[in-house]
Amino acid sequence: MYAIGIDIGGTKVAVGIVDAAGQLHSQTIIPTDLERSPREVIEEIIETVEQLIQQSHIPLEQLAGIGIGAPGPLDAKKGCITCPPNLPRWIHVPIVEWFKERFSFPVFLENDANAAALAEKWVGSAKESEHFIYLTISTGIGAGLYLDGKLFTGARGNAGDIGHMVIDPSYGKCTCGQKGCLEWIASGTAIARRGSEIMGTPLSTKEVFQLYQQGEPKIVPFIQEVFNAIGVGCVTLINLFDPEKIVIGGGVSEVGAPLFEAVQSYIHSYALNPDGCKTQVVPASLRQHAGVIGAAAVFFKKKGEK
């Protein structure tokens, strides 16, 4: 049995076919065009799904359904993307309804960080954990809360939106309207924006990290501030939810050891509970595939609950 997993992000959309054991069989990535209407983008996603099904040669009777992971705020129960800051034109988008107009499969929607948390529990770094948090640091920042052996989603599916926790108002206004949000300081988008300002030339997140690794004196203290802000976010999660492990994924996590060592050190110094100071911080196993596998996991999980 297979499911279609769709991971919608602020810069790209990944579409894949995943089997019931969590193995990704094929995947296509398309850019998220923020200038186009949500309906136009979703039509392109639907066409991509149709092409992927055709190219896979998997019999239709073996395709069980579709899972969609998308940034919040959203309403998972209503199948609606509400108003994500990184998708500014996506206001009250009934994405599940639009998919059901074209497919007879069951279709389920979930917050993207929640979906990735399910993936890491299913076949990733948290297989043995019953109390963990998945933190994604990419275009935006979010967290999936897997607590007491189950995903904690909140009333509408938006629990864990730690990216809009205020860290330091002096950093200025976030896209959400508050000042100094974690996402405004430490997301991939923020790193590229601030790094470009510091160096006086347009830089990508990857280029900013390259300068950091080269020891650029203007960039090193900035990235240390970023790591410190992520540490603050992790300590807050530990103090609130007492997890045994934090799994960090998303593009920013690709910087590797410097990030994990800095965050682990911050936790050791500042988590309130002495046992909380020992909370493990580990990289996501599934890396760029967590979103798609997680979206498929959403389908398999919700299908199993019905």
Side-chain angles (χ1 to χ4, degrees):
M1 195 64 69
Y2 299 85
I4 306 294
I6 301 168
D7 179 35
I8 299 174
T11 56
K12 66 182 185 299
V13 178
V15 181
I17 297 177
V18 180
D19 69 20
Q23 296 300 305
L24 179 64
H25 285 258
S26 57
Q27 177 176 270
T28 299
I29 294 175
I30 58 176
T32 307
D33 188 345
L34 299 180
E35 298 302 315
R36 300 169 69 193
S37 71
R39 186 84 200 214
E40 289 174 317
V41 175
I42 290 169
E43 283 297 320
E44 184 180 7
I45 297 170
I46 287 170
E47 290 170 7
T48 301
V49 170
E50 291 172 339
Q51 291 167 8
L52 201 61
I53 291 171
Q54 187 174 21
Q55 292 165 4
S56 73
H57 303 297
I58 293 172
L60 281 177
E61 59 270 20
Q62 291 188 28
L63 286 168
I66 297 172
I68 303 170
L74 51 72
D75 191 322
K77 293 178 180 177
K78 294 181 178 179
C80 180
I81 296 174
T82 309
C83 54
N86 294 320
L87 296 171
R89 298 184 66 184
W90 292 54
I91 307 298
H92 299 296
V93 175
I95 187 168
V96 168
E97 178 185 319
W98 290 353
F99 265 83
K100 285 184 174 180
E101 290 173 0
R102 294 282 286 274
F103 297 104
S104 58
F105 308 130
V107 182
F108 298 115
L109 173 68
E110 186 57 85
N111 178 281
D112 52 1
N114 291 341
L118 286 177
E120 290 293 332
K121 172 61 180 174
W122 191 15
V123 290
S125 293
K127 284 188 288 187
E128 308 303 320
S129 299
E130 294 300 306
H131 313 272
F132 76 93
I133 293 170
Y134 174 83
L135 182 64
T136 178
I137 311 174
S138 189
T139 305
I141 296 179
L145 311 175
Y146 197 92
L147 307 170
D148 296 328
K150 60 185 178 182
L151 191 66
F152 178 80
T153 62
R156 289 166 290 276
N158 295 304
D161 204 346
I162 191 175
H164 297 285
M165 175 184 70
V166 173
I167 299 290
D168 185 346
S170 71
Y171 277 84
K173 186 179 287 188
C174 177
T175 54
C176 75
Q178 293 195 105
K179 291 183 178 180
C181 290
L182 178 60
E183 182 169 301
W184 187 249
I185 300 168
S187 66
T189 308
I191 291 166
R193 184 194 70 249
R194 182 62 184 142
S196 299
E197 292 171 357
I198 290 169
M199 297 304 296
T201 186
L203 295 170
S204 66
T205 308
K206 184 177 180 180
E207 289 168 335
V208 175
F209 276 126
Q210 286 172 345
L211 290 172
Y212 168 74
Q213 290 160 345
Q214 292 163 10
E216 165 57 50
K218 294 180 182 178
I219 291 295
V220 169
F222 161 59
I223 294 300
Q224 289 172 340
E225 288 177 12
V226 167
F227 292 164
N228 185 74
I230 295 169
V232 173
C234 287
V235 164
T236 300
L237 289 170
I238 290 166
N239 290 345
L240 280 171
F241 299 110
D242 194 26
E244 60 194 0
K245 180 184 289 185
I246 294 178
V247 180
I248 302 181
V252 170
S253 70
E254 298 295 318
V255 71
L259 166 65
F260 287 89
E261 290 169 2
V263 172
Q264 192 77 69
S265 176
Y266 192 96
I267 289 169
H268 182 75
S269 298
Y270 296 111
L272 187 62
N273 188 309
D275 289 329
C277 292
K278 303 172 188 175
T279 304
Q280 283 185 288
V281 181
V282 301
S285 299
L286 302 176
R287 303 177 71 178
Q288 70 268 30
H289 301 312
V292 164
I293 294 173
V298 168
F299 167 77
F300 285 120
K301 177 179 181 293
K302 293 194 176 182
K303 184 69 174 175
E305 291 172 351
K306 286 190 174 293

